[in-house]
Amino acid sequence: MHDDLDHSISEDARSMIEFQSPGRFQIGNPAAQPALQQEWQAAPFTLGVSTTVQAFDDMGEARKHALALIEQVRRSLSIYTPDLEPWLYNHSCIQKACSQFLRAHPRNRLRILVGDSSRAVKEGHRLVTLSRRLTSSLHIRRTHQDYQLQTSAFLVVDGCGMLIRPNADQFSGQALYRDPGRARQQLRLFDAAWDRSLPDPDMRSFLL
């Protein structure tokens, strides 16, 4: 009697769970490893040698010049940016070039002045990550609201070369590989803003 009841229940259970397969499907699991970023090609100009002003007006050219300048820096690199511009600085090529520069000599320095780092901290950024590893040589600070350097974005390399975009919300700008007069003038503006910059609370929360 008991066996007949068990057999009846198991038959009923099987009939309840039978279904028709809709066919094959794939489960959207993430890849085991993140896809590698495409390598950037540095612009073919030499810091301290190329004197022609290189104008650019698209994202690809801006990246090439930024990478070329950062790969050739030997002493100091200063970056002024509204939000650490992920399209320009959050790339493995830039991170590698910065890391090699900072590790090449204990006196080498990278300073970054940022208007708002909250997006970079929230979404992740390679230079923010690098700043955790190289705390004595890579410094990120927030600009003081009373000392904003207009609407531009730029980097200055060794007081000799620079990349500047007059409007930070546009790709167009100029790269200079040998113009110490203009580069030092821009660097003086950066230094004045740096001296009045503030510790970034978003960065502190990231480091914690």
Side-chain angles (χ1 to χ4, degrees):
M1 179 69 176
H2 186 271
D3 291 341
D4 291 342
L5 180 58
D6 288 344
H7 178 74
S8 176
I9 293 174
S10 61
E11 289 291 338
D12 290 342
R14 280 197 295 269
S15 65
M16 291 175 64
I17 65 174
E18 285 181 355
F19 66 95
Q20 295 295 322
S21 172
R24 295 183 178 180
F25 62 94
Q26 294 181 339
I27 299 175
N29 291 327
Q33 295 181 347
L36 295 176
Q37 291 183 309
Q38 184 178 1
E39 291 289 318
W40 289 359
Q41 186 70 35
F45 302 100
T46 305
L47 182 65
V49 175
S50 304
T51 58
T52 305
V53 176
Q54 304 297 323
F56 57 86
D57 58 10
D58 63 67
M59 179 173 60
E61 291 299 309
R63 288 171 167 173
K64 290 179 180 180
H65 287 297
L67 180 60
L69 287 165
I70 294 173
E71 283 185 338
Q72 297 179 72
V73 62
R74 292 294 177 266
R75 300 184 306 276
S76 65
L77 173 60
S78 303
I79 297 176
Y80 183 82
T81 172
D83 61 354
L84 279 169
E85 301 161 293
W87 67 271
L88 184 59
Y89 295 117
N90 189 25
H91 192 276
S92 57
C93 289
I94 297 295
Q95 181 189 37
K96 179 180 178 182
C98 290
S99 179
Q100 290 178 342
F101 156 63
L102 294 173
R103 296 176 192 276
H105 196 282
R107 292 184 180 179
N108 290 353
R109 291 291 179 271
L110 167 54
R111 298 178 299 167
I112 301 176
L113 264 178
V114 59
D116 183 0
S117 64
S118 58
R119 177 186 175 190
V121 171
K122 180 180 179 180
E123 299 180 2
H125 197 290
R126 291 175 180 271
L127 293 188
V128 174
T129 300
L130 188 62
S131 71
R132 295 185 67 187
R133 303 172 186 167
L134 304 174
T135 56
S136 63
S137 56
L138 198 170
H139 306 280
I140 303 176
R141 303 199 74 182
R142 188 178 65 184
T143 55
H144 192 287
Q145 61 180 3
D146 295 334
Y147 294 93
Q148 300 284 342
L149 300 182
Q150 300 178 347
T151 59
S152 63
F154 61 86
L155 63 86
V156 182
V157 176
D158 289 345
C160 175
M162 61 181 291
L163 181 146
I164 183 167
R165 297 179 1 258
N167 296 301
D169 57 353
Q170 298 179 12
F171 298 133
S172 59
Q174 295 179 334
L176 303 91
Y177 289 81
R178 184 183 175 184
D179 193 336
R182 188 175 175 186
R184 289 170 184 168
Q185 181 181 17
Q186 200 69 30
L187 187 57
R188 284 194 293 270
L189 294 175
F190 180 94
D191 288 340
W194 181 266
D195 290 342
R196 296 167 175 81
S197 60
L198 304 167
D200 193 327
D202 289 327
M203 202 61 59
R204 286 202 302 269
S205 64
F206 179 88
L207 293 174
L208 292 174

